[in-house]
Every structure is written in structure tokens, then in C-alpha cells.
Amino acid sequence: MKRIFMGVAALVLWAGTALGQANEAIEDVIGSQLQAFNDRDVTEAFSYASPMIQGIFREPQNFGMMVERGYPMVWDNSDVRFLDLREEQGMILQRVMIKDAEGVIHTLEYAMIETPNGWQINGVALVAPDLAA
């Protein structure tokens, strides 16, 4: 029984360490994409999207148009704050608080995947205000 407990404890510590190491890389990817949108460099912003997202939109311009229309707080972002990073049902999720062009604060959840090219963004969802805390 003690051996099983020690094995579980080691696995939990390893998972926490692995997620902690990924934290900086994930924040860099999201921050770089947000900066690319502010710079209106949709080709650069598109490069941080996962293969699935790139396959859906096919061209950086299509992706940029979707973000501009569907996620204006991402298109014109400021005062970015990274909140919690967690693993849920096999997915790595990073919460991010972003201020839009009008100064309104939004909370988004980025689904991240690790690929041979590093961490990439596999989706973004707006978090309802009552769930953002």
C-alpha cells in the first residue's frame, strides 16, 4: 500500500512540475499571438495556431478576419494577465484576462496543445463573467 501511495505521489509531483515548466512557454505563445494581432501581423498570429485551426481557416487572412469579427478583445488587446493554467480531461487550459479597446475586461480560456513545433493554440473560448473568478 505504501508503495502505491508513493507512486501516486510521485506521479502528481511530476505532472505538477511538467505543467509548471510548460507555463512559461504557453504564456509566451499566447502573448506573442496577442502582440501579433496588435501589430496586425495576421501571418505571425496564424503561426501560433494549431494544425487543426490552420486547417479550418487555411489562410492567415481568413483567420485574422474571424478574430477581428468574433474576438474583438483579442484583435485589439491590452493589459493581458495570465491567470490559472490547468489540465482538465486531458486538455491544457490557460485562462487569460484581457482588456479590450474600450477598457472592458474579458476572460478567455485558451486550449493549448504541444506539437513537434512547440505549444500551439488549439482554440479560445470567452468565459462567462460568473465563471471567470
Side-chain angles (χ1 to χ4, degrees):
M1 186 64 123
K2 184 177 180 180
R3 191 174 278 169
I4 292 172
F5 174 76
M6 294 300 285
V8 170
L11 185 59
V12 167
L13 285 172
W14 175 81
T17 302
L19 203 53
Q21 291 171 344
N23 191 44
E24 187 175 332
I26 287 170
E27 288 181 7
D28 285 347
V29 167
I30 295 169
S32 295
Q33 187 185 61
L34 291 169
Q35 185 59 53
F37 282 126
N38 282 340
D39 296 341
R40 301 301 184 252
D41 187 346
V42 293
T43 301
E44 178 72 14
F46 193 58
S47 74
Y48 298 106
S50 72
M52 179 193 74
I53 299 296
Q54 290 184 8
I56 291 169
F57 292 99
R58 299 184 187 213
E59 298 293 329
Q61 293 72 24
N62 296 335
F63 179 67
M65 188 181 321
M66 179 279 298
V67 172
E68 183 178 13
R69 292 178 181 169
Y71 295 88
M73 74 291 292
V74 172
W75 184 253
D76 281 312
N77 66 82
S78 68
D79 195 23
V80 176
R81 295 182 191 206
F82 292 94
L83 305 175
D84 64 310
L85 174 69
R86 68 186 192 290
E87 185 270 331
E88 187 174 295
Q89 297 177 331
M91 293 177 41
I92 303 297
L93 302 170
Q94 172 69 62
R95 285 228 173 149
V96 180
M97 195 167 61
I98 297 175
K99 189 181 292 185
D100 67 17
E102 283 78 43
V104 177
I105 295 174
H106 305 269
T107 303
L108 297 120
E109 194 158 68
Y110 282 74
M112 304 298 296
I113 60 167
E114 192 169 21
T115 72
N117 295 324
W119 287 98
Q120 293 183 300
I121 300 166
N122 201 42
V124 179
L126 188 60
V127 177
D130 61 332
L131 298 177

